[in-house]
Amino acid sequence: MVKSKSTGWDVFIRIFFIVCTLSLFLPWFTYNASIMGYRFGFTFIKLFAIPLLVIGVYLFVPKANKTLLVAAEFGAAANLAVLVAAFGLWQEICNIKGGFQLLDGLHTALPGFWISALLFSLFFLLFQGEFWKRLE
């Protein structure tokens, strides 16, 4: 099914997608900002790149089909998985700890991470409406 003209919903979900993507530029983690600085969301861009690209193509290409819709749905779910992976792996990536430490992760996660997690979770829920509306 070919997407029709842009409605208010389409414009809203596109803008919300852009806001979610911009949230990657917020600081997400740090142990001590004066010593090690901040780890921003775009530190994990290798993990976010393909899901964001697929969703972006679906939302901004006028003649997106159902196959791309399903791929974008998997991309929206993959973004949530990347957030969980980033939360668990950032210490390992920076060679700070020997493994995943939940309490350290909770103490070192900055508001930028939680804002991004909330935005991407809301986007996933909002995209469910898009998915089921277009799948029919």
Side-chain angles (χ1 to χ4, degrees):
M1 176 186 199
V2 176
K3 290 202 299 191
S4 58
K5 289 184 177 182
S6 291
T7 63
W9 172 257
D10 293 332
V11 172
F12 171 75
I13 201 154
R14 287 177 186 158
I15 291 171
F16 198 79
F17 172 72
I18 291 169
V19 169
C20 288
T21 304
L22 289 176
S23 75
L24 294 175
F25 292 94
L26 295 173
W28 279 15
F29 305 107
T30 190
Y31 266 106
N32 186 339
S34 63
I35 295 173
M36 70 174 282
Y38 294 103
R39 296 290 174 237
F40 293 84
F42 61 80
T43 304
F44 307 98
I45 197 66
K46 290 179 185 177
L47 302 174
F48 277 108
I50 293 176
L52 289 176
L53 181 66
V54 170
I55 295 168
V57 167
Y58 171 74
L59 290 176
F60 292 101
V61 171
K63 298 191 184 228
N65 58 22
K66 284 187 181 180
T67 304
L68 191 55
L69 170 65
V70 172
E73 173 69 13
F74 280 114
N79 283 334
L80 296 178
V82 169
L83 281 165
V84 172
F87 181 78
L89 295 175
W90 88 270
Q91 300 166 21
E92 190 69 31
I93 291 169
C94 298
N95 294 321
I96 294 172
K97 295 280 186 173
F100 174 66
Q101 304 289 331
L102 179 62
L103 290 178
D104 286 340
L106 291 173
H107 289 142
T108 59
L110 299 172
F113 172 78
W114 299 112
I115 290 169
S116 294
L118 177 67
L119 288 173
F120 277 108
S121 298
L122 286 174
F123 178 79
F124 177 76
L125 293 174
L126 291 172
F127 196 75
Q128 298 311 301
E130 175 80 7
F131 180 72
W132 292 109
K133 179 175 73 171
R134 300 283 184 207
L135 197 60
E136 296 174 349

